[in-house]
């Protein structure tokens, strides 16, 4: 029996962790009022910001397996370690659609195999929420490395309205009538090296893992370089930046990019390659740069 099967059986046969009770809204005007005030979320990033989740992710089906395809605050090795079977998750959620664990629960340690070596010793709380859809299911995964507890509830699944299987647009809005300095950031080798020791079962899953890493890196750059900067990720492992002012200190800029990527791609022997691509004076030129 494999380790994942053992965990599945263990979780279904032992006492379930404490779940947040779900109160029925009832019917009539009160129910309508409660429903009207429920906030829905169009992206995992919006959910994380609103709920204060520093570390969260979504397991979704990829070629018959369950894999983290969206992430906030995870490193690349944790994304690559996420590959698991649907049967495993069906066993985990056999008696409840929400599981909340703390460090005091022995069951929590069964899930540390999903984490990178750097994160395993830091985990304090883990929560899982099964999100059912008409065709399949996905799993919201939240954890903390501090004393703040995580307690998900089933009601949250009704507020998640984003499509967990659609391809995310990795290009920000292009400003007009502003001169921009253009830069390429190549972190492809860094990403590949960060997961090279993890055996992924097939190419489709490998591409999914790298795509998730790209999306997380893209979101980091969007936060670090807000509008009127323009950003895209047109290819795996490549970020394109259009900044309103040229970089004054190239070494300082390189150090800033290194630090920005460290939380996702921590590799001491490699650095992202940052190069200048000249200037653009109009929105058409910026868009052409971002798309190629």
């Amino acid at each position: 029996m494999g380790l994942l099967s053992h965990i599945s059986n263990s979780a279904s046969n032992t006492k379930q962790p404490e779940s947040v009770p779900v109160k029925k809204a009832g019917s009539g005007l009160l129910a309508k009022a409660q429903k009207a005030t429920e906030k829905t979320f169009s992206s995992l990033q919006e959910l994380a910001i609103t709920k204060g989740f520093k570390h969260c992710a979504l397991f979704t089906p990829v070629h018959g397996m369950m894999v983290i395809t969206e992430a906030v605050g995870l490193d690349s090795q944790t994304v690559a370690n996420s590959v698991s079977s649907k049967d495993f998750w069906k066993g985990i959620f056999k008696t409840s659609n929400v599981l909340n664990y703390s460090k005091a629960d022995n069951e929590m340690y069964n899930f540390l195999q999903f984490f990178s070596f750097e994160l395993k010793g830091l985990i304090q709380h883990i929560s899982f929420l099964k999100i059912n859809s008409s065709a399949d299911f996905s799993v919201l995964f939240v954890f903390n490395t501090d004393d703040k507890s995580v307690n998900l509830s089933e009601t949250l699944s009704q507020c998640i309205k984003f499509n967990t299987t659609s391809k995310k647009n990795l290009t920000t809005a292009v400003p007009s009538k502003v001169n921009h300095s253009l830069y390429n950031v190549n972190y492809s080798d860094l990403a590949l090296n960060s997961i090279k020791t993890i055996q992924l079962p097939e190419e489709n899953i490998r591409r999914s893992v790298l795509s998730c890493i790209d999306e997380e890196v893209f979101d980091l750059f969007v936060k670090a370089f807000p509008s009127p900067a323009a950003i895209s990720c047109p290819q795996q492992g490549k970020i394109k930046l259009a900044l309103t002012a040229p970089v004054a200190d190239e070494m300082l800029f390189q150090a800033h990019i290194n630090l920005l990527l460290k939380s996702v791609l921590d590799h001491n022997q490699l650095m992202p390659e940052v190069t200048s691509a000249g200037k653009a004076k109009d929105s058409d030129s910026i868009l052409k740069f971002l798309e190629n």
Side-chain angles (χ1 to χ4, degrees):
M1 181 184 294
L3 181 56
L4 291 181
S5 298
H6 171 76
I7 299 173
S8 178
N9 291 334
S10 174
S12 61
N13 293 330
T14 57
K15 181 182 178 181
Q16 293 298 315
E18 181 180 356
S19 300
V20 176
V22 179
K23 296 183 179 179
K24 293 185 179 180
S27 58
L29 293 175
L30 178 60
K32 292 180 180 179
Q34 288 177 334
K35 187 173 182 180
T37 58
E38 287 180 354
K39 177 176 174 59
T40 59
F41 304 99
S42 59
S43 70
L44 182 65
Q45 288 70 31
E46 182 187 7
L47 174 66
I49 292 171
T50 304
K51 294 294 185 179
F53 297 154
K54 294 181 180 179
H55 310 279
C56 61
L58 276 175
F59 284 84
T60 62
V62 177
H63 215 245
M65 303 296 286
M66 296 293 284
V67 186
I68 288 178
T69 54
E70 294 188 49
V72 173
L74 270 67
D75 58 28
S76 58
Q77 290 192 348
T78 299
V79 175
N81 278 329
S82 68
V83 181
S84 46
S85 70
K86 288 185 180 180
D87 287 341
F88 164 72
W89 289 106
K90 288 177 181 178
I92 291 298
F93 293 114
K94 189 174 182 179
T95 59
S96 176
N97 284 343
V98 58
L99 303 171
N100 295 303
Y101 297 104
S102 71
K103 200 171 182 178
D105 300 311
N106 291 332
E107 291 84 2
M108 191 195 84
Y109 295 89
N110 292 327
F111 296 95
L112 296 185
Q113 63 172 318
F114 287 127
F115 295 94
S116 65
F117 178 79
E118 287 74 14
L119 282 175
K120 283 181 180 179
L122 302 175
I123 308 301
Q124 301 293 319
H125 303 272
I126 302 177
S127 287
F128 300 100
L129 173 64
K130 184 180 181 182
I131 304 169
N132 292 303
S133 65
S134 57
D136 223 318
F137 69 93
S138 55
V139 178
L140 176 64
F141 164 47
V142 182
F143 69 92
N144 270 351
T145 58
D146 54 31
D147 292 334
K148 183 181 179 181
S149 62
V150 179
N151 286 296
L152 298 180
S153 67
E154 287 193 61
T155 55
L156 182 60
S157 65
Q158 305 303 315
C159 302
I160 296 176
K161 302 300 182 183
F162 47 92
N163 188 342
T164 60
T165 60
S166 63
K167 180 65 177 176
K168 184 176 179 180
N169 178 28
L170 300 186
T171 303
T172 60
V174 178
S176 59
K177 300 180 180 179
V178 179
N179 291 338
H180 277 66
S181 298
L182 311 177
Y183 297 91
N184 291 304
V185 180
N186 189 331
Y187 60 91
S188 180
D189 289 344
L190 191 58
L192 293 172
N193 269 275
S194 71
I195 62 171
K196 70 177 182 181
T197 60
I198 300 171
Q199 292 185 346
L200 298 173
E202 58 180 80
E203 184 60 26
N204 285 328
I205 290 176
R206 178 178 173 275
R207 286 198 297 266
S208 176
V209 167
L210 291 171
S211 177
C212 180
I213 294 169
D214 282 339
E215 290 186 14
E216 193 171 8
V217 168
F218 174 78
D219 289 329
L220 288 176
F221 272 85
V222 170
K223 292 177 183 177
F225 300 96
S227 180
I231 304 164
S232 71
C233 182
Q235 302 174 49
Q236 189 278 308
K238 292 180 173 60
I239 288 286
K240 288 179 172 284
L241 283 172
L243 305 179
T244 54
V247 172
D249 187 326
E250 292 184 0
M251 291 184 64
L252 186 61
F253 186 58
Q254 176 76 58
H256 178 61
I257 299 299
N258 295 350
L259 186 61
L260 184 63
L261 292 176
K262 187 176 178 63
S263 62
V264 179
L265 304 168
D266 191 4
H267 198 291
N268 295 329
Q269 296 178 352
L270 291 173
M271 293 191 302
E273 181 183 1
V274 182
T275 56
S276 172
K279 295 182 179 295
K281 296 182 179 180
D282 55 71
S283 57
D284 288 341
S285 299
I286 296 173
L287 184 61
K288 184 178 180 179
F289 166 72
L290 294 175
E291 290 179 342
N292 296 308

